[in-house]
Amino acid sequence: MNVQLIGVEGLPEVVPGDDIARLIAGAAAGESAIEAGDVVVVTQKIVSKAEGRLVRLADVAPSAFAQQWATRYRSDPRLVELVLRESRRIVRMDRGVLIVETHHGFVCANAGVDLSNVDGGATATLLPKDPDASAHQIRDGLLARARCTVAVVISDTFGRPWREGLVNVAIGTAGIAPLRSHVGARDPVGFPLQASIAGLADEVAAATGLVAGKLDRIPVVIARGLAYEAGGSGRDLLRKPEGDLFR
């Protein structure tokens, strides 16, 4: 398999109400023109902007709990309040770090609330309310414009337990099965595989970080040449409570 990663450059600054599929189709030209079978990976930030998932910190009234935590660790109580609002439960609070489970079921730092790449710190972006629905909407728009079948992955940057460094992961998918199971197959020496399930959508999202870093202003990357199956949703990547040893 020979997989290409193609950054789509030239997208304008995204504002609430923008049609992401239209912007991608307009910017994708030449080598980056969309082809059948492509996986179009879109960063969460532009999806959140287009969907109006923006909150001005000046409009946030922090609770007493948020005030107390922020004072202790010299952070912004308004940002802490937004994190709490976007969380269904707190997993860990320690040393100024909030690890939470979002209403979607993602376990991550600060519930995905982010101040970067907006307006210099006055406005925060929140995760899309339904990343899978966002992915399907973009995919439908691309199908109508490119007139070929593609898949879409919505990506965000997460930290990882036990390892340093941030990587992109898939938080929403459309047209691609996010998991690839090798259970029951045999390795090259004949050993039967029992627990080999690859997080394909996460692997694709992580790979796009090689050509679309946080400072590169390339919010869309096309992964071309990837073998995948359709079906499933980004929710398939969430580990169920009964299989989670850390819950």
Side-chain angles (χ1 to χ4, degrees):
M1 188 186 304
N2 182 18
V3 178
Q4 287 181 280
L5 298 173
I6 305 166
V8 178
E9 301 183 71
L11 271 80
E13 184 65 28
V14 175
V15 298
D18 273 346
D19 183 335
I20 294 293
R22 180 183 65 80
L23 296 181
I24 294 173
E31 184 184 5
S32 63
I34 294 171
E35 298 180 1
D38 284 349
V39 181
V40 181
V41 183
V42 185
T43 58
Q44 160 270 324
K45 184 61 61 70
I46 66 169
V47 176
S48 292
K49 287 181 177 180
E51 295 180 355
R53 296 283 286 161
L54 303 166
V55 179
R56 287 185 54 80
L57 293 185
D59 298 330
V60 178
S63 64
F65 182 78
Q67 289 274 16
Q68 181 182 26
W69 174 261
T71 299
R72 181 179 179 184
Y73 291 104
R74 298 180 181 178
S75 56
D76 190 329
R78 302 168 300 177
L79 188 60
V80 175
E81 177 63 25
L82 281 179
V83 172
L84 296 175
R85 292 179 187 179
E86 292 298 301
S87 306
R88 71 162 60 142
R89 72 183 179 101
I90 298 171
V91 177
R92 184 76 182 268
M93 300 175 68
D94 193 14
R95 287 166 281 181
V97 179
L98 276 164
I99 305 298
V100 302
E101 181 179 355
T102 71
H103 297 297
H104 319 79
F106 308 134
V107 176
C108 58
N110 296 327
V113 178
D114 191 11
L115 295 175
S116 66
N117 294 313
V118 187
D119 59 3
T123 302
T125 57
L126 313 179
L127 294 180
K129 287 187 176 181
D130 186 341
D132 282 329
S134 302
H136 279 281
Q137 183 177 19
I138 295 171
R139 182 174 184 256
D140 289 344
L142 291 175
L143 291 176
R145 289 169 172 82
R147 300 188 182 280
C148 60
T149 301
V150 299
V152 170
V153 170
I154 308 296
S155 70
D156 195 13
T157 305
F158 279 24
R160 301 168 294 164
W162 310 298
R163 297 185 70 81
E164 294 290 348
L166 303 172
V167 297
N168 291 336
V169 301
I171 63 171
T173 65
I176 178 172
L179 297 173
R180 175 182 284 167
S181 177
H182 301 289
V183 175
R186 293 182 178 272
D187 70 12
V189 296
F191 184 80
L193 302 178
Q194 300 176 2
S196 296
I197 301 176
L200 180 62
D202 277 348
E203 291 179 328
V204 175
T208 62
L210 298 173
V211 296
K214 294 286 282 185
L215 305 177
D216 297 327
R217 300 185 68 85
I218 301 177
V220 178
V221 176
I222 295 170
R224 178 167 296 159
L226 180 71
Y228 63 90
E229 296 180 357
S233 77
R235 291 185 296 276
D236 297 338
L237 293 162
L238 301 178
R239 181 159 290 175
K240 294 179 175 56
E242 57 269 23
D244 189 342
L245 298 180
F246 301 94
R247 187 164 304 205

